[in-house]
Amino acid sequence: MLLGLSCALLIVILDQFSKYYIMENILNEYGAISFTSFFNLVRAWNTGVSFSMFNDGGTTGTILLSVMSIVIICFLIYWLYKEKEKIIQVSLGFIIGGALGNVIDRITRGAVFDFLDFHIGEHHWPAFNVADSFICIGATIIIIHGLFVAQKKEEERK
């Protein structure tokens, strides 16, 4: 469990530091900075969930999403407590840390600060942040592990 919680703490620190640094030192005078033909740094505020879904709930939506996120984090911590496999502990730590980073934004700022903007021409993927990235990485590892590694171990036991 300590491994997963350590990963979560690291992700929260990376997420909060990156948001602060980008907001205060890079984008402090700009709404967006174009770096390449496919990547920009932008100032985007997300009051919804991942990739701005359900972005129109106002203050009530922010409170409900924060409470829902905290309930999910508690479930993930319980799973982490029961989990024996190190790779799943790390993955759960990534998800917990990312979720906590976004909850901190919702509680302190009223919205999640997103700044990574990838695009092809005029077609933009919704802006996201370090927390979102680690949530996706953790979830992907758990899915791949469940589909391939855990299934293979089950077949070997038979």
Side-chain angles (χ1 to χ4, degrees):
M1 182 165 170
L2 186 59
L3 176 62
L5 292 177
S6 298
C7 289
L9 178 61
L10 178 64
I11 300 312
V12 169
I13 291 168
L14 286 172
D15 176 63
Q16 291 298 301
F17 175 77
S18 66
K19 289 172 181 172
Y20 174 81
Y21 187 79
I22 295 296
M23 217 182 322
E24 298 298 323
N25 296 302
I26 306 294
L27 291 175
N28 60 348
E29 296 178 20
Y30 307 99
I33 299 173
S34 181
F35 278 92
T36 69
S37 62
F38 61 88
F39 175 69
N40 304 322
L41 287 178
V42 298
R43 183 182 300 273
W45 293 99
N46 179 1
T47 58
V49 294
S50 297
F51 308 116
S52 299
M53 292 185 297
F54 313 115
N55 206 10
D56 56 357
T59 303
T60 303
T62 300
I63 292 168
L64 288 175
L65 288 173
S66 296
V67 170
M68 186 175 71
S69 295
I70 291 167
V71 168
I72 292 168
I73 290 166
C74 290
F75 167 76
L76 293 172
I77 290 171
Y78 176 75
W79 180 3
L80 177 62
Y81 173 74
K82 297 286 188 178
E83 186 58 53
K84 302 290 184 235
E85 294 208 39
K86 300 286 188 206
I87 189 70
I88 302 301
Q89 291 176 7
V90 169
S91 300
L92 288 169
F94 286 0
I95 297 168
I96 292 165
L100 280 171
N102 284 340
V103 166
I104 290 168
D105 278 12
R106 278 195 189 92
I107 291 170
T108 61
R109 297 182 175 109
V112 176
F113 178 61
D114 293 327
F115 57 90
L116 301 169
D117 174 39
F118 286 90
H119 60 93
I120 298 174
E122 296 299 315
H123 304 286
H124 292 257
W125 184 258
F128 59 99
N129 58 44
V130 171
D132 299 333
S133 300
F134 277 98
I135 291 169
C136 290
I137 292 166
T140 300
I141 292 169
I142 290 171
I143 291 167
I144 290 171
H145 184 273
L147 289 174
F148 300 107
V149 178
Q151 201 170 43
K152 185 177 178 181
K153 285 183 181 181
E154 186 66 31
E155 289 172 6
E156 288 173 359
R157 285 185 210 152
K158 292 180 182 181

